[in-house]
Amino acid sequence: MSKIQPLNPERIAQMAAGEVIDSLEAALRELLENALDAQATRIQVEIWPSRWQVRVADNGQGIPGSELEQVARRHTTSKLDGRSLGFRGEALHSLARLGSLTIQTRHAADAHGWLAAYDRQGELTHRQPAAMALGTVVTVADLFADWPLRRRSLPQTRPLLTLVQNAALAHPWVSWQVRQEGQLLLSLWPGQSLQDLLLQVLPQVDPSDLRYRRIREGDSDWEMVLGLPDRLHRPRPDWIRVAVNGRFVQMPEWQRLIQSVFQHALPRHRYPLVVVHLRLPPEQVDWNRHPAKSELYLQDPEIRQEQLRQHLHALLQSGSGQASRRSVHLIRASEAKSVYEASRQPHLPFNPAPAAPACSAPSLPPLRALAQLHRIYILAEHPQGLWLVEQHLAHERVRYEYIQRHWQPVELETPVMLQGLSPQAVEQLEQLGLEPEPFGPNTYLVRRLPLALWSEDPKEIQGSLLELSRCADLESAQVAVACRGALRNGIPLTLEQMQQLLEAWQRTANPHTCPHGRPVYLALAEKDLARYFRRRWGICDRPISNSKMGSILELEPLGDRFAAQVRRSAGSSASDPTDEANAAPL
Ligand code: ADP
Ligand code: MG
């Protein structure tokens, strides 16, 4: 080894350029940020992956002709106030180093525009006047031409599109177009909110399946959209997205938190759709964590995390869960049927649902139980529609929340004996704080139990303890015992029992799904039914007599009716009660 000496500046500049721009995607990211910083309201992107070329045209402020010499030099920036996406003054310089950079621009202070070209050091090599509207067009061609190792595979379109979509979600007032090799791939028009843009980015999503809220509290401004978990979920966590001050970022703690909020509202191995945008004063965000600015340091991260948790919970509970598309209802209904087979179990005594605190109830309409269908569904009505509530799932939700609230241990007067426990099962019970005591070979005594699992029947307690001993953690233990004790499908219920169950279920904090994440009910809104039956007239509420019914259904022989008609038209007395029935609307 030779002695320590400073690196030459050329080498340092190359290293830095490679850190900022490591892909065509990174080049596009920097160009988009510059356009947004220039207050553009229209941004057009063109990509030519085969040529390693990207061009971003904006209608922003433009660059004054007098500054064109500086822009691509290292660490030159006009953004020192901390309010913009850029601030390092490195992007244009790095792009000049790694590709071939040209800029066309016109600033309001200049009488005409300019076309400028730069060399690999970021020095202006050529400049000529150009006719153009206010704004800037930056083109980077031949990226990594001298860096073959970075060109191992052609750039993919999808990450480039995701980048533009994310930028659009965080800047809803901008209109966007993306073309690839001349062909239009994406076009987004401006909207008022994150939600407006999300619906354009995901056109297959029904707006009634989303919940959106904007919350300004103190110096923070939260915008969030979530997909109702019984309607929208993903096989991957690709739609858990978080933006801070206009830029989407990697925040693993937040992603975990978001997943945990949805944990028992989603089916297993499915992920929610959640997009959050937090805007904060710039001094509360430190972007100097990653050259791509994809990570950050936040001031008071715990406070922000707690706010996020609370806002998400509130938004989740505000979901009414009524999908509007008829077809969705019908498809979902048939799905629901296949989930549960009616089990013809021996009749178990119906255990009235444990009461939940009323204060947590979200706004579900008051439901009146009408009938039990197939001993699985409770048919219920309310002024705006009909619901089918799956009895096992509804009770499972009630039990789950009851169990969570009553998990504190109680001492048993008579200990319960458990036999044949595996070492893992014993360990699991220990972890849950139940302290099984050895009592002979393979036999254990348990003297304490979570209150929620107490029962007069020792066999019932034994069953619950065995269930707990099979679960990996507290959450899944609670879900398992909730399911175990819940009313089975196939059990006949009286109207009164159904009503009790409906009321207890409606008081739960999250009635839309069971703790495994399955939807609990199917809502048929009256307005959807009216649309389905193409009914536009009002509803008549007069009862109808049996004789009228007989006549309007033409149960009388036609001959008699015809004779009555003839009598009437001949002026004879028209006392036949069918007269009115024929005239009255139904
Ligand atoms: P930074 O964005 O961190 O300032 P860049 O190298 O990306 O660094 O850009 C350097 C400067 O060039 C910016 O500060 C800005 O003044 C100017 N600039 C770059 N792109 C645009 C654009 N699209 N519109 C207006 N000005 C631009
Ligand atoms: Mg920049």
Side-chain angles (χ1 to χ4, degrees):
M1 273 200 307
S2 54
K3 82 181 173 30
I4 297 178
Q5 27 187 323
L7 274 176
N8 81 36
E10 185 64 9
R11 184 81 191 278
I12 295 175
Q14 271 179 1
M15 280 161 32
E19 270 173 17
V20 180
I21 309 291
D22 58 359
S23 56
L24 193 68
E25 192 187 330
L28 176 59
R29 179 194 66 223
E30 294 295 332
L31 299 183
L32 292 182
E33 293 195 349
N34 281 348
L36 291 165
D37 282 343
Q39 314 293 325
T41 55
R42 199 182 66 241
I43 298 179
Q44 287 165 310
V45 176
E46 284 197 69
I47 47 183
W48 294 269
S50 59
R51 285 161 26 196
W52 289 83
Q53 182 171 328
V54 56
R55 168 184 295 160
V56 173
D58 68 59
N59 67 345
Q61 290 156 348
I63 306 172
S66 55
E67 290 177 13
L68 281 172
E69 231 175 289
Q70 322 272 358
V71 282
R73 289 192 182 143
R74 191 156 184 222
H75 299 312
T76 51
T77 178
S78 58
K79 306 167 190 171
L80 295 172
D81 64 353
R83 301 208 163 261
S84 345
L85 296 172
F87 61 88
R88 301 164 67 111
E90 266 184 308
L92 290 185
H93 177 73
S94 305
L95 290 168
R97 283 209 160 260
L98 303 169
S100 127
L101 174 71
T102 50
I103 299 179
Q104 242 182 302
T105 186
R106 186 172 149 220
H107 189 265
D110 291 336
H112 56 78
W114 291 99
L115 172 63
Y118 297 85
D119 68 10
R120 287 284 151 95
Q121 270 61 52
E123 291 301 325
L124 182 71
T125 51
H126 174 79
R127 176 167 60 174
Q128 71 182 59
M132 65 177 289
L134 290 188
T136 304
V137 184
V138 181
T139 309
V140 180
D142 252 346
L143 191 67
F144 306 136
D146 301 340
W147 309 70
L149 293 184
R150 297 207 194 152
R151 277 194 171 189
R152 257 170 304 177
S153 58
L154 273 188
Q156 300 292 307
T157 310
R158 181 168 284 279
L160 299 171
L161 281 181
T162 303
L163 199 66
V164 176
Q165 289 170 341
N166 279 348
L169 291 171
H171 302 87
W173 53 87
V174 177
S175 78
W176 303 81
Q177 278 188 349
V178 181
R179 287 195 159 70
Q180 175 166 322
E181 319 265 355
Q183 192 194 340
L184 185 67
L185 290 189
L186 177 71
S187 175
L188 301 171
W189 54 94
Q192 302 284 321
S193 68
L194 174 55
Q195 158 151 286
D196 292 346
L197 266 291
L198 187 68
L199 286 168
Q200 290 184 57
V201 169
L202 298 175
Q204 67 276 31
V205 166
D206 188 317
S208 65
D209 292 347
L210 294 179
R211 288 293 169 273
Y212 168 77
R213 194 163 285 174
R214 182 162 192 175
I215 308 132
R216 295 186 181 88
E217 56 176 4
D219 50 9
S220 64
D221 178 352
W222 295 86
E223 238 191 320
M224 51 182 78
V225 188
L226 58 83
L228 292 176
D230 51 342
R231 306 285 181 233
L232 291 174
H233 37 75
R234 306 273 309 158
R236 287 177 301 283
D238 56 346
W239 270 101
I240 303 178
R241 298 191 187 176
V242 175
V244 176
N245 287 2
R247 184 185 280 121
F248 277 81
V249 281
Q250 299 299 326
M251 292 178 84
E253 329 77 75
W254 285 34
Q255 308 226 324
R256 277 195 296 276
L257 188 155
I258 292 170
Q259 266 169 255
S260 76
V261 168
F262 281 77
Q263 195 175 13
H264 290 300
L266 284 173
R268 278 164 73 99
H269 309 304
R270 302 291 293 185
Y271 297 87
L273 181 155
V274 176
V275 185
V276 175
H277 188 181
L278 169 62
R279 294 181 180 91
L280 287 172
E283 60 278 8
Q284 292 190 22
V285 187
D286 179 354
W287 289 103
N288 292 307
R289 183 167 179 167
H290 190 276
K293 292 164 279 185
S294 58
E295 293 171 29
L296 47 70
Y297 297 101
L298 269 191
Q299 190 177 306
D300 304 325
E302 293 84 16
I303 296 179
R304 298 300 174 206
Q305 226 162 304
E306 191 45 39
Q307 287 174 337
L308 174 66
R309 187 201 310 275
Q310 287 175 8
H311 296 329
L312 278 179
H313 270 296
L315 192 53
L316 190 57
Q317 286 181 19
S318 74
S320 77
Q322 294 186 21
S324 66
R325 279 190 299 204
R326 265 192 328 271
S327 56
V328 172
H329 290 316
L330 299 175
I331 293 163
R332 297 255 157 78
S334 53
E335 276 175 3
K337 244 184 256 160
S338 63
V339 171
Y340 270 117
E341 287 226 324
S343 55
R344 304 283 164 212
Q345 298 270 340
H347 186 112
L348 293 178
F350 179 61
N351 194 4
C359 58
S360 60
S363 54
L364 290 187
L367 291 176
R368 189 165 72 92
L370 294 178
Q372 188 187 27
L373 307 180
H374 303 297
R375 297 187 178 175
I376 302 174
Y377 308 105
I378 300 172
L379 176 67
E381 72 168 354
H382 67 92
Q384 279 83 44
L386 286 179
W387 284 21
L388 280 183
V389 181
E390 218 267 24
Q391 64 188 44
H392 172 77
L393 299 180
H395 192 216
E396 204 174 64
R397 167 53 66 186
V398 172
R399 276 187 52 77
Y400 176 64
E401 294 192 8
Y402 173 82
I403 286 167
Q404 282 189 315
R405 286 196 308 278
H406 296 89
W407 197 251
Q408 68 274 30
V410 288
E411 300 297 322
L412 290 169
E413 270 175 25
T414 327
V416 175
M417 192 186 293
L418 297 177
Q419 283 178 314
L421 288 186
S422 68
Q424 294 96 306
V426 174
E427 196 181 315
Q428 172 58 22
L429 289 176
E430 278 167 354
Q431 274 186 8
L432 291 172
L434 298 176
E435 298 162 11
E437 292 168 23
F439 190 75
N442 252 348
T443 306
Y444 292 81
L445 285 186
V446 175
R447 296 179 188 278
R448 59 208 311 242
L449 184 81
L451 175 60
L453 303 186
W454 192 83
S455 156
E456 306 242 346
D457 180 358
K459 286 233 158 345
E460 189 59 32
I461 298 187
Q462 241 171 6
S464 299
L465 286 170
L466 289 175
E467 187 76 56
L468 291 184
S469 73
R470 287 193 281 269
C471 297
D473 54 48
L474 175 62
E475 293 268 354
S476 48
Q478 292 179 336
V479 172
V481 289
C483 176
R484 181 174 184 278
L487 196 66
R488 300 289 176 85
N489 291 135
I491 293 180
L493 298 177
T494 65
L495 265 187
E496 193 189 343
Q497 290 169 334
M498 287 188 268
Q499 191 64 39
Q500 281 176 332
L501 172 56
L502 287 180
E503 285 167 16
W505 165 66
Q506 287 194 287
R507 285 195 298 268
T508 58
N510 186 4
H512 305 298
T513 52
C514 82
H516 301 97
R518 291 188 285 259
V520 175
Y521 64 97
L522 177 70
L524 289 170
E526 172 50 32
K527 65 176 176 4
D528 291 339
L529 291 173
R531 201 178 313 139
Y532 180 80
F533 291 110
R534 311 208 177 139
R535 185 176 57 235
R536 286 187 198 85
W537 54 87
I539 307 241
C540 171
D541 56 1
R542 265 179 299 151
I544 187 163
S545 70
N546 284 347
S547 62
K548 236 183 218 181
M549 194 67 189
S551 76
I552 60 174
L553 292 178
E554 313 218 342
L555 299 176
E556 280 175 39
L558 182 64
D560 294 359
R561 295 190 64 213
F562 182 68
Q565 187 84 30
V566 172
R567 269 202 311 278
R568 260 202 322 273
S569 53
S572 57
S573 78
S575 61
D576 186 338
T578 58
D579 284 358
E580 248 184 81
N582 286 332
L586 273 178

